[in-house]
Amino acid sequence: MASVQMSGLDPREIRNNKLDLVERLADDLAHEIKNPLHSMVINLEVLRRRIGRAGVHDADELLRFVGVVNAELDRVSRRVEILLRLLRPDRSGEPVTIQEILDEILELLEIERERLGVSLEIRAATEPLRGYVGREPGRQLVLNVVLSALERTPPRGRLVVETEPDAGEARLRVRSVPPEGSPGSAAALDPERLAVFRALAEAVGGRVEDLRSGTVAELVLTLPARAV
Protein backbone atom coordinates (compact mmCIF):
# COMPACT_ATOMS: atom_id res chain seq x y z
CA MET A 1 0.00 0.00 0.00
CA ALA A 2 1.37 3.37 -1.00
CA SER A 3 2.08 5.77 1.84
CA VAL A 4 0.04 8.97 1.99
CA GLN A 5 1.99 12.19 2.54
CA MET A 6 0.33 15.38 3.74
CA SER A 7 1.93 18.17 1.76
CA GLY A 8 2.25 21.70 3.00
CA LEU A 9 2.41 20.77 6.69
CA ASP A 10 5.52 21.57 8.66
CA PRO A 11 6.39 18.57 10.94
CA ARG A 12 7.61 20.99 13.61
CA GLU A 13 4.29 22.83 13.53
CA ILE A 14 2.41 19.53 13.85
CA ARG A 15 4.58 18.54 16.81
CA ASN A 16 4.12 21.92 18.49
CA ASN A 17 0.35 21.68 18.05
CA LYS A 18 0.38 18.23 19.63
CA LEU A 19 2.46 19.48 22.54
CA ASP A 20 0.07 22.41 23.04
CA LEU A 21 -2.87 19.99 23.08
CA VAL A 22 -1.15 17.69 25.59
CA GLU A 23 -0.34 20.65 27.84
CA ARG A 24 -3.93 21.87 27.77
CA LEU A 25 -5.26 18.39 28.53
CA ALA A 26 -2.75 17.96 31.38
CA ASP A 27 -3.69 21.39 32.73
CA ASP A 28 -7.40 20.50 32.65
CA LEU A 29 -6.70 17.14 34.29
CA ALA A 30 -4.64 18.75 37.03
CA HIS A 31 -7.48 21.16 37.78
CA GLU A 32 -9.98 18.29 37.85
CA ILE A 33 -7.77 16.44 40.35
CA LYS A 34 -7.00 19.49 42.49
CA ASN A 35 -10.64 20.40 43.21
CA PRO A 36 -11.66 17.03 44.73
CA LEU A 37 -8.32 16.87 46.54
CA HIS A 38 -9.04 20.19 48.19
CA SER A 39 -12.52 18.97 49.14
CA MET A 40 -11.09 15.78 50.66
CA VAL A 41 -8.57 17.74 52.73
CA ILE A 42 -11.34 19.95 54.13
CA ASN A 43 -13.64 17.03 54.94
CA LEU A 44 -10.78 15.11 56.51
CA GLU A 45 -10.10 18.05 58.83
CA VAL A 46 -13.81 18.12 59.78
CA LEU A 47 -13.67 14.39 60.54
CA ARG A 48 -10.54 14.84 62.65
CA ARG A 49 -12.17 17.54 64.77
CA ARG A 50 -15.38 15.56 65.24
CA ILE A 51 -13.48 12.47 66.35
CA GLY A 52 -11.58 14.59 68.85
CA ARG A 53 -14.77 16.12 70.29
CA ALA A 54 -16.97 13.03 70.31
CA GLY A 55 -14.87 10.95 72.68
CA VAL A 56 -14.88 8.04 70.24
CA HIS A 57 -13.41 4.73 71.43
CA ASP A 58 -9.83 4.35 70.15
CA ALA A 59 -9.88 8.00 69.07
CA ASP A 60 -6.09 8.24 69.18
CA GLU A 61 -5.75 5.30 66.79
CA LEU A 62 -8.34 6.75 64.44
CA LEU A 63 -6.65 10.14 64.51
CA ARG A 64 -3.36 8.49 63.64
CA PHE A 65 -4.90 7.03 60.49
CA VAL A 66 -6.49 10.39 59.69
CA GLY A 67 -3.05 11.97 60.00
CA VAL A 68 -1.54 9.44 57.58
CA VAL A 69 -4.27 10.03 55.00
CA ASN A 70 -3.95 13.79 55.41
CA ALA A 71 -0.19 13.64 54.85
CA GLU A 72 -0.61 11.60 51.67
CA LEU A 73 -3.31 13.95 50.36
CA ASP A 74 -1.03 16.88 51.06
CA ARG A 75 1.81 15.27 49.08
CA VAL A 76 -0.47 14.62 46.10
CA SER A 77 -1.91 18.14 46.29
CA ARG A 78 1.58 19.65 46.28
CA ARG A 79 2.55 17.63 43.20
CA VAL A 80 -0.58 18.72 41.36
CA GLU A 81 0.11 22.36 42.25
CA ILE A 82 3.67 22.03 40.95
CA LEU A 83 2.36 20.44 37.74
CA LEU A 84 -0.04 23.34 37.27
CA ARG A 85 2.74 25.89 37.73
CA LEU A 86 4.99 24.09 35.26
CA LEU A 87 2.26 23.76 32.63
CA ARG A 88 0.93 27.28 32.64
CA PRO A 89 2.32 29.03 29.55
CA ASP A 90 2.33 32.55 31.05
CA ARG A 91 5.49 34.52 30.32
CA SER A 92 6.76 31.61 28.19
CA GLY A 93 8.44 33.94 25.71
CA GLU A 94 10.37 35.92 28.32
CA PRO A 95 14.11 35.42 28.69
CA VAL A 96 14.93 33.95 32.06
CA THR A 97 17.85 33.32 34.39
CA ILE A 98 18.83 29.82 35.41
CA GLN A 99 18.46 30.87 39.04
CA GLU A 100 14.85 31.94 38.42
CA ILE A 101 14.14 28.52 36.93
CA LEU A 102 15.73 26.80 39.93
CA ASP A 103 13.55 28.87 42.26
CA GLU A 104 10.44 27.77 40.35
CA ILE A 105 11.24 24.04 40.48
CA LEU A 106 12.81 23.99 43.97
CA GLU A 107 9.73 22.50 45.64
CA LEU A 108 9.67 19.62 43.17
CA LEU A 109 13.39 19.03 43.70
CA GLU A 110 12.88 18.96 47.48
CA ILE A 111 10.18 16.31 47.13
CA GLU A 112 12.33 14.15 44.87
CA ARG A 113 15.53 14.47 46.89
CA GLU A 114 13.60 13.51 50.05
CA ARG A 115 12.15 10.47 48.28
CA LEU A 116 15.59 9.39 47.06
CA GLY A 117 17.35 10.06 50.37
CA VAL A 118 19.73 12.62 48.87
CA SER A 119 20.77 16.03 50.23
CA LEU A 120 20.51 19.09 47.99
CA GLU A 121 22.86 22.08 47.95
CA ILE A 122 22.28 25.07 45.66
CA ARG A 123 24.99 27.69 45.13
CA ALA A 124 23.78 30.73 43.23
CA ALA A 125 26.08 32.95 41.18
CA THR A 126 26.62 36.42 42.61
CA GLU A 127 26.04 37.96 39.16
CA PRO A 128 22.77 36.74 37.58
CA LEU A 129 22.72 36.20 33.84
CA ARG A 130 19.57 36.34 31.74
CA GLY A 131 19.44 33.67 29.06
CA TYR A 132 18.50 34.40 25.50
CA VAL A 133 16.31 31.28 25.58
CA GLY A 134 12.63 31.55 26.55
CA ARG A 135 11.24 30.50 29.89
CA GLU A 136 9.62 27.26 28.72
CA PRO A 137 12.55 25.66 26.83
CA GLY A 138 14.94 26.89 29.52
CA ARG A 139 12.81 25.43 32.29
CA GLN A 140 12.45 22.07 30.54
CA LEU A 141 16.21 21.85 30.04
CA VAL A 142 17.09 22.74 33.62
CA LEU A 143 14.39 20.48 35.05
CA ASN A 144 15.49 17.48 32.97
CA VAL A 145 19.18 17.95 33.72
CA VAL A 146 18.75 18.42 37.48
CA LEU A 147 16.23 15.58 37.92
CA SER A 148 18.46 13.19 35.96
CA ALA A 149 21.46 14.13 38.11
CA LEU A 150 19.32 13.67 41.22
CA GLU A 151 18.24 10.21 40.12
CA ARG A 152 21.81 9.02 39.62
CA THR A 153 23.06 10.35 42.95
CA PRO A 154 23.57 7.43 45.40
CA PRO A 155 21.35 7.32 48.53
CA ARG A 156 22.75 9.52 51.35
CA GLY A 157 24.83 11.30 48.72
CA ARG A 158 24.77 15.01 47.79
CA LEU A 159 23.51 16.85 44.76
CA VAL A 160 25.38 20.14 44.34
CA VAL A 161 23.72 22.60 41.97
CA GLU A 162 25.81 25.62 41.05
CA THR A 163 25.20 28.54 38.66
CA GLU A 164 27.99 30.66 37.27
CA PRO A 165 28.68 33.24 34.52
CA ASP A 166 31.47 32.65 32.04
CA ALA A 167 32.35 34.86 29.07
CA GLY A 168 28.81 35.80 28.10
CA GLU A 169 27.33 32.40 28.93
CA ALA A 170 25.20 31.13 31.79
CA ARG A 171 26.36 27.81 33.17
CA LEU A 172 24.65 25.28 35.41
CA ARG A 173 26.84 22.64 37.08
CA VAL A 174 25.09 19.70 38.72
CA ARG A 175 27.37 17.33 40.64
CA SER A 176 26.29 13.94 41.96
CA VAL A 177 28.49 13.20 44.99
CA PRO A 178 28.43 9.79 46.73
CA PRO A 179 28.34 9.71 50.56
CA GLU A 180 31.70 10.24 52.22
CA GLY A 181 33.60 6.99 52.64
CA SER A 182 31.39 5.14 50.17
CA PRO A 183 33.23 2.89 47.68
CA GLY A 184 30.48 3.44 45.09
CA SER A 185 30.12 6.21 42.55
CA ALA A 186 27.34 8.09 40.81
CA ALA A 187 25.56 6.05 38.14
CA ALA A 188 26.27 6.65 34.47
CA LEU A 189 23.71 8.65 32.52
CA ASP A 190 21.80 6.76 29.86
CA PRO A 191 23.39 7.66 26.47
CA GLU A 192 20.02 8.12 24.78
CA ARG A 193 18.86 10.52 27.48
CA LEU A 194 22.12 12.46 27.20
CA ALA A 195 21.66 12.67 23.42
CA VAL A 196 18.17 14.14 23.94
CA PHE A 197 19.52 16.73 26.41
CA ARG A 198 22.23 17.73 23.96
CA ALA A 199 19.77 18.06 21.09
CA LEU A 200 17.42 20.23 23.19
CA ALA A 201 20.30 22.43 24.32
CA GLU A 202 21.72 22.80 20.82
CA ALA A 203 18.29 23.82 19.54
CA VAL A 204 18.50 26.97 21.70
CA GLY A 205 22.19 27.62 21.14
CA GLY A 206 23.45 25.82 24.26
CA ARG A 207 25.25 22.60 25.07
CA VAL A 208 25.31 19.81 27.66
CA GLU A 209 28.40 17.96 28.88
CA ASP A 210 28.57 14.78 30.96
CA LEU A 211 31.79 14.78 33.00
CA ARG A 212 33.26 12.50 35.66
CA SER A 213 36.02 12.98 38.21
CA GLY A 214 36.64 9.86 40.28
CA THR A 215 33.35 8.87 41.91
CA VAL A 216 31.72 12.25 41.24
CA ALA A 217 29.59 12.71 38.11
CA GLU A 218 28.76 16.15 36.73
CA LEU A 219 26.26 17.43 34.19
CA VAL A 220 27.03 20.88 32.83
CA LEU A 221 24.39 22.90 30.99
CA THR A 222 25.61 26.03 29.21
CA LEU A 223 23.24 28.58 27.70
CA PRO A 224 23.90 31.77 25.77
CA ALA A 225 23.32 34.68 28.11
CA ARG A 226 23.80 38.36 28.80
CA ALA A 227 24.08 40.34 32.03
CA VAL A 228 20.76 41.47 33.54
Side-chain angles (χ1 to χ4, degrees), residues 169-188:
E169 295 179 326
R171 183 162 296 146
L172 174 71
R173 294 185 178 275
V174 190
R175 291 192 295 277
S176 299
V177 184
E180 189 174 351
S182 170
S185 61

Side-chain angles (χ1 to χ4, degrees), residues 73-183:
L73 282 175
D74 181 63
R75 287 171 63 88
V76 175
S77 182
R78 288 167 60 194
R79 282 166 169 78
V80 171
E81 182 62 33
I82 292 168
L83 176 61
L84 283 171
R85 291 205 302 265
L86 292 177
L87 286 173
R88 285 170 183 150
D90 53 324
R91 301 183 299 162
S92 60
E94 289 185 3
V96 63
T97 67
I98 291 179
Q99 187 59 48
E100 287 170 340
I101 296 173
L102 288 174
D103 291 341
E104 289 181 5
I105 66 174
L106 182 58
E107 188 174 357
L108 176 60
L109 298 181
E110 283 290 342
I111 291 173
E112 287 302 299
R113 73 99 195 150
E114 182 180 356
R115 180 180 69 84
L116 296 170
V118 173
S119 65
L120 177 64
E121 181 180 346
I122 296 181
R123 304 173 183 172
T126 56
E127 177 192 354
L129 291 182
R130 186 169 295 280
Y132 284 119
V133 295
R135 181 175 296 272
E136 291 306 315
R139 182 163 53 186
Q140 288 302 317
L141 266 172
V142 172
L143 184 62
N144 286 327
V145 167
V146 178
L147 285 180
S148 294
L150 192 59
E151 290 171 359
R152 71 172 177 174
T153 305
R156 301 184 307 281
R158 290 186 299 125
L159 186 73
V160 181
V161 181
E162 186 174 8
T163 58
E164 61 183 23
D166 183 26
E169 295 179 326
R171 183 162 296 146
L172 174 71
R173 294 185 178 275
V174 190
R175 291 192 295 277
S176 299
V177 184
E180 189 174 351
S182 170

Side-chain angles (χ1 to χ4, degrees), residues 7-25:
S7 60
L9 293 179
D10 187 343
R12 290 174 297 181
E13 183 177 352
I14 294 174
R15 180 176 181 276
N16 288 337
N17 288 338
K18 287 181 178 179
L19 288 175
D20 288 341
L21 177 60
V22 170
E23 286 186 355
R24 288 198 299 272
L25 290 174

Side-chain angles (χ1 to χ4, degrees), residues 98 133 141 145 164 166-173 194-211 219-225:
I98 291 179
V133 295
L141 266 172
V145 167
E164 61 183 23
D166 183 26
E169 295 179 326
R171 183 162 296 146
L172 174 71
R173 294 185 178 275
L194 178 60
V196 170
F197 293 170
R198 283 176 170 163
L200 291 173
E202 289 170 3
V204 294
R207 61 186 183 275
V208 172
E209 301 169 89
D210 185 21
L211 309 175
L219 277 173
V220 182
L221 168 63
T222 303
L223 295 175

